[in-house]
Amino acid sequence: MTNTRAAITGIHAYVPDYVLTNAELEKMVDTNDEWIATRTGIRERRILKGEGLATSYLGEQAVKGLLEKTGTDPEEIGLLICATVTPDMMFPDTANLIAHRTGMKNAFTFDLSAACSGFLFALTTGAKYIESGMYKKVIVVGADKMSSIMDYTDRATCILFGDGGGAVLLEPSTDGNGIMDSILHSDGAGAENLYQRGGGSLRPATHETVDAKEHFAFQNGRPVYKAAVAGMSGVVKEMMQKHSLTAENVAWVVPHQANLRIIESVASMADFPMEKVMVNIHKYGNTTAATLPLCLWEWENQLKKGDNLILTAFGGGYTWGAIWVKWAY
Ligand code: UT7
C-alpha cells in the first residue's frame, strides 16, 4: 500500500451559450414549464450549436481553462480520459482529439463509456494511475453533447438533457487529502430501460435504424427513477458507514443531476439536509458525464482544504457508485 493519493488540484468546466428554456420546449413538444419544473426541477439547459462543434469542443474548452488556471504545461500530462456517451465519432477517441487540440504531446488517451456514472468511473481510473506512480499529472474529462442524441419529439426524454463538459487535474498528494475511496457498480440487466440502440455493431446505421429513431437515446423513466434512488442512496450510506462519515463531518454531497426529486430522496434517505447538497439541475438539466464536474466547478470557491465530499451518480447500464473525496486545496 502506498500513502500517495490522487488529489484533485484543479477544476474547470464549460457550458455553451445557447439556453433552451422550458418555454421554448413548449413550442416543440406537448409539454409545459409547470410539468417539467415540478417533475424534474429543470428550468433550462444549454445546447451546443454551430457547424463542426461536438463533444470534443466541450471537453477542449474545459481542459484549456483548466490548464490555464492551474498553470499546467500540457506536455506534462501523462494521461487524459474522457468519459462520454456522445463521442465525436466511433473512433478515434474523443480524448485523443481533446489532447491534440490542447497540446498534450506526451499523453496517452482513451474514452470511457459509463453513461451518467462516467465521471465517477473515469475519476477512479485516473486516480489509480497516480496512486501507482505511473503518472504525476492526469486529466479526467466528463463531457456530453446530449442534444446530438435527443429525439425532440419524445417529450418524456428530450426535456431532461443538456450539453456541457468539465475537467479535473489529478496530482499525487501525501498530506492525507485526495480521492479516499470508490464504490462502483454495473448491472447489465438495466440495459433494457436506458439505451441508444443504433450506430453500434448490433444495429449499424441503415435507413431502417434511422426511420425507427434508433440513433436517439431512449429512457423508460419510471424503473430508472426507482433504481436511481435505490442505487445512489444505498451506495452513499455504504460509503458513510464504511468510513464513519456523517451528515455533520461531510461538507457536501455532489449528486448526479438527473431529477431534483431523485436528489431530494437520496439526501433524505442518507439523512443529509439539502443545504449540504449541490444542485444546479435547474440551469443545466442532465448533462450525463458532465454533471459532477459542473457542480464542483460552480462550488469551487466554497470548498475548503480537508472538506469531505461524497460524489454519487446513477446512469445507463445500469452503472452507479460513490466516491469519497477529501478536497485538497
Ligand atoms: O441520468 C440517467 C438516469 N436517469 C434518471 O435518473 C431519470 C429517471 N426518471 C425520471 O426522472 C422520471 O421518471 C421522468 C422525469 C423521466 C418522468 O417523470 P415521472 O414522474 O416518472 O412521469 P411518468 O413517466 O410516469 O409520466 C407521468 C405522466 C404521463 O402521462 P399519463 O400517462 O399519466 O397521462 C406522461 O405521458 O406525465 C406525462 N409526461 C409528460 N407530460 C408533460 C411525460 N413527459 C411529459 C412532459 N410534459 N415532458
Side-chain angles (χ1 to χ4, degrees), residues 29-32 35-36 39-40 115-116 154-157 159-161 194 219-226 228 232 256-259 261-262 286 288 314-316:
V29 282
D30 180 15
T31 190
N32 57 79
W35 191 96
I36 301 173
R39 297 283 181 132
T40 72
C116 297
D154 172 8
R155 69 175 182 172
T157 307
I159 53 112
L160 300 169
F161 290 92
L194 189 44
Q219 175 172 254
N220 194 3
R222 277 282 168 94
V224 178
Y225 186 106
K226 285 185 194 155
M232 284 193 284
H256 174 52
Q257 311 282 307
N259 187 320
R261 289 185 296 140
I262 294 177
N286 184 347
T288 302
F314 185 96

Side-chain angles (χ1 to χ4, degrees), residues 116 120 231-233 235-236 253-257 266 291-292 310-314 320-323:
C116 297
L120 288 185
M232 284 193 284
S233 64
V235 82
V236 167
V253 175
V254 191
H256 174 52
Q257 311 282 307
V266 170
T291 59
L292 299 181
I310 298 179
L311 282 55
T312 186
F314 185 96
W320 71 104
I323 298 183

Side-chain angles (χ1 to χ4, degrees), residues 1 27 44 83 117 170 176 209 211 254 261 264 266 310 323:
M1 282 295 285
K27 296 180 199 142
E44 56 191 42
S117 308
L170 296 178
T209 63
D211 291 345
V254 191
R261 289 185 296 140
E264 287 170 344
V266 170
I310 298 179
I323 298 183

Side-chain angles (χ1 to χ4, degrees), residues 5-8 173 175-181 324-328:
R5 296 186 192 285
I8 296 174
S173 150
D175 69 358
N177 294 315
I179 292 162
M180 309 299 285
D181 194 12
W324 170 30
V325 174
K326 269 189 174 293
W327 197 249

Side-chain angles (χ1 to χ4, degrees), residues 75-313:
E75 297 194 8
E76 288 180 78
I77 305 298
L79 164 65
L80 184 140
I81 308 172
C82 180
T84 187
V85 287
T86 52
D88 288 27
M89 297 171 259
M90 293 299 281
F91 67 89
D93 59 289
T94 300
N96 206 338
L97 303 173
I98 296 170
H100 174 63
R101 291 198 215 120
T102 53
M104 290 181 200
K105 294 199 171 68
N106 301 309
F108 99 95
T109 67
F110 59 90
D111 286 359
L112 189 151
S113 175
C116 297
S117 308
F119 190 76
L120 288 185
F121 284 28
L123 188 60
T124 302
T125 307
K128 299 299 164 196
Y129 284 88
I130 297 281
E131 289 167 17
S132 68
M134 190 164 172
Y135 293 116
K136 295 269 183 271
K137 289 181 196 282
V138 168
I139 287 183
V140 175
V141 176
D144 270 301
K145 185 184 173 184
M146 292 306 290
S147 61
S148 68
I149 56 167
M150 276 306 111
D151 173 3
Y152 284 101
T153 66
D154 172 8
R155 69 175 182 172
T157 307
C158 75
I159 53 112
L160 300 169
F161 290 92
D163 303 338
V168 294
L169 177 63
L170 296 178
E171 293 181 272
S173 150
T174 51
D175 69 358
N177 294 315
I179 292 162
M180 309 299 285
D181 194 12
S182 300
I183 303 174
L184 305 174
H185 294 286
S186 297
D187 179 2
E192 63 189 25
N193 290 322
L194 189 44
Y195 56 79
Q196 180 193 331
R197 186 144 290 156
S201 55
L202 177 69
R203 301 282 292 164
T206 60
H207 282 294
E208 190 194 338
T209 63
V210 171
D211 291 345
K213 301 186 171 190
E214 291 184 16
H215 299 274
F216 294 127
F218 173 83
Q219 175 172 254
N220 194 3
R222 277 282 168 94
V224 178
Y225 186 106
K226 285 185 194 155
V229 171
M232 284 193 284
S233 64
V235 82
V236 167
K237 285 195 278 188
E238 184 185 342
M239 183 68 86
M240 291 171 71
Q241 276 158 14
K242 190 173 166 192
H243 299 289
S244 303
L245 296 166
T246 64
E248 283 71 44
N249 63 23
V250 171
W252 294 100
V253 175
V254 191
H256 174 52
Q257 311 282 307
N259 187 320
L260 180 59
R261 289 185 296 140
I262 294 177
I263 295 172
E264 287 170 344
S265 295
V266 170
S268 146
M269 288 165 91
D271 278 333
F272 272 101
M274 282 304 287
E275 301 80 67
K276 286 192 168 203
V277 180
M278 295 186 190
V279 177
N280 58 14
I281 190 171
H282 52 290
K283 293 192 287 185
Y284 305 131
N286 184 347
T287 54
T288 302
T291 59
L292 299 181
L294 279 174
C295 282
L296 293 174
W297 172 57
E298 290 207 325
W299 267 262
E300 184 186 20
N301 290 340
Q302 296 182 55
L303 299 176
K304 295 189 288 296
K305 189 170 181 168
D307 274 355
N308 288 312
L309 273 55
I310 298 179
L311 282 55
T312 186

